[in-house]
Amino acid sequence: QFDQQHLANTARSLAVPCAEDGLLMGAAVAQCTSITSGFAVQGIANLAWTLVKSLHRSDSVLSAVAGPELEQLLYARWEPQNLSNTVWAVASVRFLNMPLSDAISAAAIANIHEFDSQARTNTVWSFAKLLIDDRPLMHAMSAEALRKLPQLNPQALSNTAWSCATLGFYSQLLMDAIS
């Protein structure tokens, strides 16, 4: 019997090479759905990433990830990479779940200074992709982007500008710095 971490790691390892094997990925997804309640933050991030990389969209797993256990995740310690990977994965398959998005936003704002440029850029891109206009998150992310502007590469700058434009978020200081 696989525990949560073993299952998440195995599914992640198989995601790309076995993407075409619908039966194998379907079995992994079914098992994940039955035990998602015990997953830690890392396992949730791994599962969300796995579903995207395997091209196997499973609303049942995504719903289980964002289900009743979500309240427990609000108090968990989310690493910036786990946050950005999770929100990137759900945005990539356009799975909109406001309680999950709210939890990710709150955790991101609380840990904003720990985000590297890729995690920050992926997070704002993901919210824009889902058309979630979360002003507190955008204000926090843009302020942090300004503080760490020298670390931003051209793609991070363009993705940040695109995200702001898509959401109708305008920060004169950020746009001046980007341009």
Side-chain angles (χ1 to χ4, degrees):
Q1 171 86 19
F2 273 24
D3 66 13
Q4 294 84 355
Q5 190 63 47
H6 289 114
L7 182 60
N9 290 345
T10 300
R12 185 178 173 124
S13 299
L14 296 173
V16 176
C18 297
E20 300 297 319
D21 189 339
L23 188 60
L24 178 61
M25 289 310 296
V29 165
Q31 183 66 21
C32 291
T33 304
S34 69
I35 63 170
T36 304
S37 64
F39 272 53
V41 171
Q42 179 69 48
I44 288 170
N46 287 352
L47 280 177
W49 182 92
T50 297
L51 291 173
V52 172
K53 287 297 183 182
S54 70
L55 307 175
H56 189 97
R57 179 181 170 133
S58 172
D59 286 350
S60 61
V61 171
L62 291 168
S63 293
V65 164
E69 294 77 25
L70 183 62
E71 190 169 321
Q72 294 172 3
L73 295 177
L74 290 173
Y75 305 105
R77 177 70 174 100
W78 286 76
E79 295 297 324
Q81 185 177 354
N82 293 337
L83 284 168
S84 67
N85 287 352
T86 301
V87 73
W88 171 83
V90 297
S92 294
V93 295
R94 295 203 163 128
F95 181 78
L96 180 60
N97 181 286
M98 288 311 297
L100 178 61
S101 298
D102 290 346
I104 289 171
S105 174
I109 291 168
N111 299 306
I112 195 76
H113 301 299
E114 296 175 26
F115 275 66
D116 64 18
S117 63
Q118 182 174 354
R120 195 173 39 258
T121 302
N122 288 352
T123 301
V124 297
W125 176 88
S126 299
F127 273 75
K129 181 84 169 170
L130 291 169
L131 299 176
I132 300 172
D133 189 8
D134 186 321
R135 293 299 159 131
L137 177 66
M138 292 303 291
H139 282 289
M141 289 288 187
S142 65
E144 190 64 13
L146 280 169
R147 277 186 4 91
K148 296 181 178 174
L149 198 61
Q151 298 172 8
L152 296 179
N153 63 34
Q155 183 173 353
L157 291 171
S158 65
N159 286 349
T160 299
W162 176 85
S163 300
C164 290
T166 298
L167 294 174
F169 176 80
Y170 186 76
S171 164
Q172 184 67 49
L173 288 173
L174 182 60
M175 290 303 113
D176 287 348
I178 288 174
S179 60

